[in-house]
Amino acid sequence: MSGRILLYGATGFTGREIARALAGTLDIVLAGRDAQKLRAVADPLGLPWLAFDLSDPVALAAALQDVNVVLHAAGPFETTACPMIDGCLRTGTHYLDLGGEWPVFLEAMEYDAAAKSAGIMIVPGVGLTVAASDCLLALAKERWPDTVRFCLGISRAQVISRGSVESAARLLSPEVIIRRKGALVTVPAGSLVRAFDFGNGFSEAVAMSWADVVTGTITTGVGDIEVYSEMRWPERAGYRASSMAMEVAGVKPWRQFGGALAKVWPDGPSESARDAASFSMVVEALDPWRRVRRLKARTMNGYDFSVVTAAEAVRRMLSGTTKTGFQTPALAFGASFIFDVGAAVVEARVRTSGSMAA
């Protein structure tokens, strides 16, 4: 295994954890915008560092000149992903990121032809979002090839970092996206509710604009996909009420409020809080007769998950596991990727049931 990695966003919560995980094992350079913060992370680890802004294409090209793989961990990805991908195209550098903002996946797909021409692979979402759900959907499709519709349920987040709050605030909308017959369509936020058994009996969840609605069809070929997040009744009522308010007053005040909240939010959870947190994901695969087959997985907490999967993705790429063009995590590394590295386990293959489709 040989080659150099550039970790951009090394001063963020997850970036720091990845830097510690890779230090001493791979040829890695830490990078970001703030020299003082970079030095504080890099020096104790004995790692080289580079400070530059993505708005400077000359500095970016110089930083990537001898780099084989970029692991991009600096949000908000809505503004940072495309400049980094542009730099990777110019220098022939493979691109990975930890983003989960669904519009960014649409933008990354637009680079497919250019990436193939440059001989590079573009793989967004190698952290919890979307690697966990993407691999679970791919595994379900392998088991049940006749699947025509996916409903994916994700249990309630138990720990949330500042970056996650900031990303969520930027995407606040009175509508959510789902897939219907291969096309992205919108429905009113809070209007689709479905029950999933995350491990303690059935619990209701609400459709959300999760990135798998964008990528899941690419991974599996299934054209009807919805993604749901677990919510208690008061949370569902508040979510629906806020979406209705956004329809009347617009999204700007709500996004401003969310941005202000992110600024005072803790940088990341404590180690003890992370250890106690994990996600349960349930995929319901419907066949042409609307029969439901269920597959459930339990993941590590989102932060440790992202460290493990991002580090493994880098190692695999340096070892030659690469394709060209845009790839989802499951297409790049296989449906078993997250399970092989211990970031998640399949808990049960739940019985097939009769028609329960909404």
Side-chain angles (χ1 to χ4, degrees):
M1 185 185 302
S2 62
R4 171 165 288 191
I5 310 145
L6 185 132
L7 171 60
Y8 193 85
T11 62
F13 182 80
T14 305
R16 295 195 303 269
E17 295 298 315
I18 292 173
R20 294 188 185 102
L22 294 180
T25 65
L26 297 174
D27 182 4
I28 181 171
V29 178
L30 306 188
R33 293 176 288 252
D34 190 310
Q36 185 175 354
K37 290 181 179 180
L38 274 170
R39 184 181 292 110
V41 175
D43 285 356
L45 299 174
L47 296 175
W49 56 271
L50 290 170
F52 60 92
D53 195 285
L54 294 176
S55 63
D56 185 345
V58 175
L60 175 58
L64 297 181
Q65 199 60 51
D66 297 317
V67 171
N68 300 89
V69 178
V70 160
L71 177 53
H72 185 46
F77 294 89
E78 184 180 16
T79 58
T80 65
C82 286
M84 181 62 85
I85 293 174
D86 287 333
C88 288
L89 288 171
R90 289 192 294 269
T91 56
T93 305
H94 295 297
Y95 174 90
L96 301 168
D97 78 29
L98 299 178
E101 302 159 25
W102 67 265
V104 180
F105 289 82
L106 289 174
E107 293 177 337
M109 289 177 186
E110 295 296 320
Y111 286 95
D112 180 60
K116 289 177 178 176
S117 178
I120 69 169
M121 183 160 73
I122 295 175
V123 191
V126 295
L128 180 71
T129 311
V130 303
S133 43
D134 190 55
C135 287
L136 185 60
L137 289 175
L139 185 62
K141 187 62 164 63
E142 286 183 358
R143 293 190 176 188
W144 302 301
D146 61 346
T147 298
V148 296
R149 178 183 172 193
F150 280 128
C151 296
L152 173 68
I154 301 170
S155 65
R156 182 180 297 104
Q158 297 169 328
V159 291
I160 304 175
S161 72
R162 180 185 303 158
S164 297
V165 174
E166 183 179 6
S167 294
R170 296 172 72 94
L171 295 176
L172 283 172
S173 170
E175 298 178 323
V176 300
I177 59 167
I178 62 174
R179 282 272 187 188
R180 283 290 181 266
K181 298 181 180 179
L184 293 175
V185 300
T186 60
V187 296
S191 64
L192 290 182
V193 179
R194 194 176 181 92
F196 296 86
D197 185 356
F198 295 110
N200 296 303
F202 279 91
S203 176
E204 289 192 328
V206 179
M208 302 284 284
S209 296
W210 196 266
D212 288 278
V213 174
V214 174
T215 59
T217 297
I218 306 299
T219 299
T220 67
V222 174
D224 285 41
I225 300 176
E226 302 136 37
V227 183
Y228 295 78
S229 293
E230 183 185 19
M231 289 189 190
R232 299 183 181 93
W233 182 86
E235 296 167 333
R236 298 198 307 272
Y239 178 58
R240 181 62 184 141
S242 65
S243 69
M244 294 172 68
M246 279 187 271
E247 290 177 349
V248 175
V251 300
K252 186 176 180 180
W254 294 87
R255 291 180 179 177
Q256 289 176 334
F257 173 77
L261 181 64
K263 290 180 180 179
V264 299
W265 201 270
D267 183 33
S270 66
E271 185 173 351
S272 60
R274 295 202 310 271
D275 289 342
S278 63
F279 281 92
S280 181
M281 295 185 174
V282 178
V283 60
E284 297 187 343
L286 285 73
D287 70 10
W289 297 273
R290 300 179 69 182
R291 291 176 299 188
V292 181
R293 293 74 58 93
R294 297 182 178 89
L295 194 64
K296 182 168 65 174
R298 172 71 64 175
T299 76
M300 307 168 80
N301 71 78
Y303 306 96
D304 291 343
F305 182 104
S306 296
V307 172
V308 169
T309 53
E312 179 62 19
V314 166
R315 293 189 182 99
R316 291 193 183 192
M317 292 183 73
L318 292 179
S319 296
T321 303
T322 59
K323 302 177 183 179
T324 60
F326 173 89
Q327 304 291 333
T328 66
L331 289 179
F333 307 116
S336 65
F337 171 55
I338 63 170
F339 308 106
D340 291 344
V341 300
V345 294
V346 176
E347 287 200 326
R349 181 173 178 176
V350 188
R351 70 184 184 279
T352 300
S353 70
S355 174
M356 294 183 60

